[in-house]
Amino acid sequence: MVGDALPEIRRATVIGAGTMGAAIAAHIANAGVPVDLLDIVPEGAADRDVLAKGAIARLLKADPAPFMTRRAAKLVQPGNTQDHLGRIAGSDWVVEAIVEKQAIKARLYDAVEPHLRPDALLTSNTSTLPLSLLTEGRSDAFRRRFAITHFFNPPRYMRLLEIVAADQTDTRLIDALTRFCDVRLGKTVVRAKDTPGFIANRLGVFWMQSAINEAFDLSIGIEEADAVVGPPMGIPKTGVFGLLDLVGLDLMPPIAESLRTALPTGDAYCAIARSHPLIDRLIADGYTGRKGKGGFYRLSRTAEGRVKEAIDLTTGEFAPAGKPRLDSVAASKSDGLRALVTFDDATGRYAWRVLSATLAYAAELVPAVADDIVAIDTAMRLGYNWSEGPFQLIDRLGAGWLAEQLAAEGRSVPHLLSVAAEAGGFYREERGTRTFLHTDGSYRPLERPAGVLLLADIKRRSEPLLKNASAALWDVGDGVTCFEFTSKMNTIDADVLGLLGQALEMTARDHTAMVVYNEGDNFSVGANIGLGLFLANIAAWGELDGAIRNGQAVFKALKYAPIAVVGAPSGMALGGGLELLLHCDAVQAHGETYAGLVEAGVGVIPAWGGSKEYLLRHLAKAKRPGGPMPAINQAFQTIAMATVAKSGAEAQEHLFFRPGDGITMNRDRLLADAKAKALALAANYRPPPEPEDVHLPGPTAAAAMKLAIDGFRLLGKATPHDAVVATELAGVLAGGATDWVDTVAEDDLLTLEREAFARLIRTPETQARMEHMLSTGKPLRN
């Protein structure tokens, strides 16, 4: 350790190979950190490490995958707590994730403490036991090195991490852990106080209990309840009953009981905590949710196939689930959240009772569970996937209006809500800076951690350099511009391509580098299929050809631009979105990037230069087998199978990204990292040279790939139209009608892409696939 440098976490141990412990170990391995996974030795076990080994095997089969690559699994070393506690001495961080019983945890801590280094940290993943209880009777040295790290399930995908530390906890160890979990694990770390349920579960369990109670009391169907306490409130479409099925009905009673017994009797949760005989019966009968026979919803097999059924809370009987069309929900779409909770029917009254109780409770929790409202809003957004936290929702309703309604009903108005009502809300924007209401009544700037740069903040204080209906260009400082998609699902259309061409010219003239980035759920799902299908339906073949030529020209201009261009994807980067990234000088990808050239799934091939670039990337791969055929075959298989990488690291393995491209684990750090990469490239930047013409085998290679296609058809792994698409792709990758003595130029490959695309989109089968994708979001096998 040098000077004030924080300790580094270079190795970890997780004790407890259950669902959470094993998944935490997997995610630590995703960060490239070796981790020991230990559990008890089952009585009579021939293999003393069987529990940890079995957990790793299950992780490798799980979907969604806890590991970002299979390579990461090799960093997890199985062991047991009888033979291998000595390994803890090599760990900088030890995570306990065993059963939620204080006495059992205490015995484990007794065994762990002698092996724990003085500069190492031990944390518990408890979700119910307070820090004060876990450290009761323990030494000062233990307390200094102990904290709670409450991960949310599944740890790889849920961004929230609640950390609870005591006054005695070494702040340098907590700072080091916070930095590691932020930068290396991609977590948004929220500091919670040592109170029951911490932050997210304290409010989340109240919300769920309230929603359940009111549905029973008002005789609201569960489909109606989920439609109301769902997207209209910025809550995932699972609503509350679908969420309970997802997490498990059997997990709720012990959590509820833990909260009820730990909270003071005057707490609002204690007033609403109650069980329901129907739910008790469901659990007893094995209806524990998706992991069991079903829950509030279930799938039943009938002569017509599998049917989704929903339980009637009044009769306890299952019936086919419906998709309710509610006037209250329709009103919210046109007139906002207040229209939902004031709508004069049972669902409107349900919405009001659940939301008003939840928001009032949230206002009562500050500063008891967290220092400020930002921590609670962040915890609910990232722990429960709400699009807005409770205080943001109050601002949508109007803090003054909500306070008036509560008072009119004779309900208590929390002090902080009264302050917000007087001040005009919980959040403000002042001179381009977002501020929040502190508990002392002042407004304070919403500060970002060092190394975080958000386009949303830049947009608050500046105007775009360029803008149209589908894209915008922003100045993000230091001579770097940011090109942003703004179309639906960030699809690429003529407006995107047109503005991208202008953005390249402006950046080359007035700036030094460009980042292609946005803060939508997905980087880009590719070309606008709806527009393509429309043009095909009216036989506007000239316009379609023009669209392909335009995309090829703009992406080629991007590749050879006189400025460095860095792609910064997150979420889905599919089809044309990945084709754009293949033309960038470099990529800085979020760890949760799902990339693939998926055009074959809708009956075409990548034709904006994607087939060409992906082939060239395989041909240029270092240490590849000799001759072009191995490279051609690899590119062919990946594109023809519409392979999608399930992480940024896996995208590198598929060569969608280069080995030297960067991976950012924390989504909020992606723009800053991409900007830094762009500035590094900008120093002494020279555009890439025009590639040398390549020797391709032509019809010989196409014939070999055709044999493979025929084999897949005979095995039933490819449909007749799959074979048509793959044959066209094979012709492009083989170089067309060339032979070994000829060379193929980059523009020749673009022409082959364009011609193959034109033939395919004219087929009824491709048009049927496109229409099916548009209507269902799923590929059609025809």
Side-chain angles (χ1 to χ4, degrees):
M1 187 166 22
V2 180
D4 294 327
L6 292 175
E8 293 286 341
I9 294 177
R10 297 187 176 90
R11 188 175 188 91
T13 297
V14 176
I15 303 175
T19 300
M20 284 299 293
I24 291 168
H27 197 49
I28 294 172
N30 288 334
V33 173
V35 54
D36 291 292
L37 179 60
L38 311 181
D39 210 316
I40 62 171
V41 178
E43 186 176 352
D47 185 343
R48 295 171 65 81
D49 302 336
V50 64
L51 292 183
K53 288 179 179 177
I56 296 169
R58 288 191 297 275
L59 291 171
L60 286 167
K61 296 176 182 177
D63 186 19
F67 289 114
M68 288 184 164
T69 65
R70 298 187 72 84
R71 187 176 66 250
K74 297 178 181 179
L75 292 174
V76 183
Q77 183 177 1
N80 68 76
T81 53
Q82 289 186 25
D83 303 327
H84 303 124
L85 282 182
R87 294 185 195 169
I88 290 173
S91 289
D92 305 292
W93 178 26
V94 179
V95 184
E96 169 267 301
I98 65 171
V99 65
E100 292 281 70
K101 294 184 181 295
Q102 191 270 338
I104 298 176
K105 290 180 187 287
R107 288 197 294 272
L108 176 65
Y109 298 162
D110 289 340
V112 166
E113 188 172 7
H115 302 285
L116 193 67
R117 293 202 323 261
D119 60 344
L121 190 65
L122 169 64
T123 69
S124 174
N125 185 54
T126 182
S127 60
T128 59
L129 299 177
L131 182 72
S132 57
L133 180 62
L134 295 177
T135 57
E136 191 174 79
R138 309 209 74 87
S139 67
D140 289 342
F142 182 92
R143 292 168 181 263
R144 186 183 67 81
R145 295 174 291 167
F146 187 82
I148 288 172
T149 45
H150 180 212
F151 287 84
F152 282 69
N153 192 28
R156 170 182 164 183
Y157 299 96
M158 297 299 288
R159 290 177 59 190
L160 178 63
L161 174 65
E162 294 175 331
I163 291 184
V164 183
D167 292 339
Q168 305 99 311
T169 312
D170 187 328
T171 56
R172 294 185 75 258
L173 292 179
I174 293 298
D175 288 346
L177 178 67
T178 298
R179 182 187 62 185
F180 176 82
C181 293
D182 173 344
V183 177
R184 301 289 297 280
L185 298 187
K187 300 301 173 192
T188 296
V189 177
V190 173
R191 293 292 294 272
K193 296 185 179 182
D194 190 21
T195 57
F198 312 130
I199 300 175
N201 282 347
R202 175 75 172 272
L203 182 58
V205 171
F206 180 96
W207 162 69
M208 289 189 288
Q209 185 73 64
S210 177
I212 293 167
N213 291 351
E214 298 297 348
F216 275 99
D217 294 347
L218 293 172
S219 298
I220 301 292
I222 65 170
E223 305 104 304
E224 294 175 323
D226 286 344
V228 170
V229 185
M233 295 183 184
I235 293 169
K237 63 182 180 180
T238 51
V240 66
F241 290 99
L243 175 63
L244 286 165
D245 277 359
L246 182 64
V247 300
L249 275 64
D250 56 326
L251 295 182
M252 286 303 298
I255 293 174
E257 179 62 16
S258 173
L259 274 180
R260 190 186 63 78
T261 56
L263 289 170
T265 54
D267 189 272
Y269 177 74
C270 296
I272 69 168
R274 71 182 201 246
S275 62
H276 295 276
L278 175 61
I279 297 177
D280 295 339
R281 192 196 82 195
L282 285 172
I283 295 171
D285 291 345
Y287 284 91
T288 54
R290 296 186 187 182
K291 64 185 179 183
K293 296 189 293 185
F296 295 105
Y297 297 96
R298 72 180 184 186
L299 290 175
S300 294
R301 296 185 182 278
T302 69
E304 290 76 31
R306 297 173 67 172
V307 175
K308 184 178 182 180
E309 296 180 335
I311 199 166
D312 186 306
L313 297 181
T314 302
T315 67
E317 299 297 325
F318 282 94
K323 293 184 178 180
R325 297 183 180 275
L326 305 178
D327 291 339
S328 58
V329 172
S332 72
K333 291 179 180 178
S334 59
D335 299 319
L337 185 59
R338 197 185 294 185
L340 175 72
V341 299
T342 58
F343 200 85
D344 189 18
D345 73 358
T347 62
R349 289 186 285 277
Y350 176 70
W352 165 249
R353 290 192 190 183
V354 174
L355 190 60
S356 63
T358 301
L359 299 183
Y361 190 60
E364 292 174 354
L365 295 179
V366 184
V369 305
D371 287 333
D372 54 52
I373 65 170
V374 177
I376 294 180
D377 277 345
T378 301
M380 293 310 294
R381 285 190 296 104
L382 301 183
Y384 279 74
N385 285 326
W386 291 13
S387 62
E388 294 178 298
F391 297 97
Q392 294 169 300
L393 288 171
I394 292 174
D395 279 355
R396 279 180 61 191
L397 287 172
W401 181 86
L402 178 59
E404 289 174 4
Q405 299 304 308
L406 293 175
E409 294 183 0
R411 295 159 66 183
S412 173
V413 179
H415 171 70
L416 191 61
L417 178 58
S418 296
V419 174
E422 288 288 330
F426 283 103
Y427 291 94
R428 286 180 178 172
E429 287 191 18
E430 301 176 2
R431 295 184 296 277
T433 299
R434 190 160 170 78
T435 62
F436 68 93
L437 180 66
H438 197 264
T439 53
D440 63 8
S442 67
Y443 282 87
R444 299 188 180 184
L446 188 62
E447 296 180 353
R448 307 295 185 190
V452 169
L453 177 64
L454 297 182
L455 187 57
D457 291 340
I458 292 168
K459 291 162 76 169
R460 286 191 185 96
R461 59 177 182 261
S462 63
E463 295 294 324
L465 300 173
L466 297 169
K467 183 176 176 60
N468 65 20
S470 297
L473 183 71
W474 302 89
D475 186 338
V476 295
D478 302 310
V480 180
T481 62
C482 175
F483 185 81
E484 176 197 27
F485 304 131
T486 60
S487 55
K488 184 177 180 180
M489 295 193 74
N490 295 326
T491 54
I492 300 175
D493 57 20
D495 281 346
V496 169
L497 294 172
L499 201 76
L500 179 55
Q502 295 176 46
L504 291 167
E505 293 176 2
M506 175 178 278
T507 303
R509 184 179 67 244
D510 302 329
H511 301 81
T512 57
M514 177 193 286
V515 171
V516 184
Y517 164 91
N518 65 73
E519 288 170 0
D521 291 337
N522 297 299
F523 176 74
S524 173
V525 297
N528 187 329
I529 296 176
L531 178 59
L533 181 60
F534 171 75
L535 294 175
N537 284 339
I538 63 172
W541 309 122
E543 286 83 350
L544 267 171
D545 183 66
I548 297 301
R549 288 176 183 271
N550 186 31
Q552 290 182 340
V554 172
F555 285 3
K556 186 176 180 182
L558 184 157
K559 178 179 179 179
Y560 294 109
I563 43 109
V565 181
V566 174
S570 179
M572 290 189 286
L574 303 177
L578 179 52
E579 291 188 84
L580 183 151
L581 294 171
L582 287 167
H583 288 81
C584 291
D585 293 294
V587 166
Q588 184 72 32
H590 182 220
E592 298 300 341
T593 299
Y594 315 115
L597 295 169
V598 297
E599 286 88 343
V602 291
V604 293
I605 67 165
W608 277 341
S611 299
K612 174 259 301 180
E613 286 297 313
Y614 194 56
L615 172 63
L616 294 177
R617 188 162 292 186
H618 276 280
L619 289 169
K621 180 181 178 181
K623 299 181 180 179
R624 68 172 177 83
M629 279 308 298
I632 293 171
N633 280 332
Q634 188 60 60
F636 173 73
Q637 290 176 29
T638 303
I639 298 174
M641 298 296 291
T643 301
V644 175
K646 299 299 180 62
S647 69
E650 194 173 279
Q652 284 182 311
E653 293 181 350
H654 286 295
L655 286 189
F656 294 147
F657 306 152
R658 300 174 184 86
D661 286 336
I663 303 294
T664 296
M665 294 293 278
N666 191 317
R667 178 70 174 79
D668 291 343
R669 296 181 177 275
L670 182 57
L671 179 56
D673 288 352
K675 177 183 171 182
K677 184 178 283 290
L679 287 170
L681 290 172
N684 303 313
Y685 179 77
R686 295 289 184 273
E690 290 276 352
E692 294 182 4
D693 297 348
V694 293
H695 287 274
L696 293 173
T700 303
M705 287 182 274
K706 183 67 166 57
L707 287 175
I709 296 166
D710 292 340
F712 277 116
R713 278 203 61 191
L714 290 172
L715 292 172
K717 295 181 179 180
T719 68
H721 197 58
D722 288 336
V724 172
V725 176
T727 300
E728 290 285 3
L729 174 65
V732 173
L733 299 179
T738 186
D739 60 36
W740 284 105
V741 298
D742 295 323
T743 58
V744 181
E746 182 174 14
D747 285 344
D748 295 331
L749 290 171
L750 290 175
T751 299
L752 291 171
E753 282 184 1
R754 194 167 61 247
E755 292 173 347
F757 181 93
R759 288 188 292 271
L760 287 168
I761 202 166
R762 283 171 164 79
T763 64
E765 293 84 358
T766 286
Q767 292 172 28
R769 287 190 179 192
M770 298 174 82
E771 189 166 348
H772 190 267
M773 177 63 75
L774 282 172
S775 61
T776 68
K778 298 176 182 178
L780 172 69
R781 299 300 305 279
N782 58 349

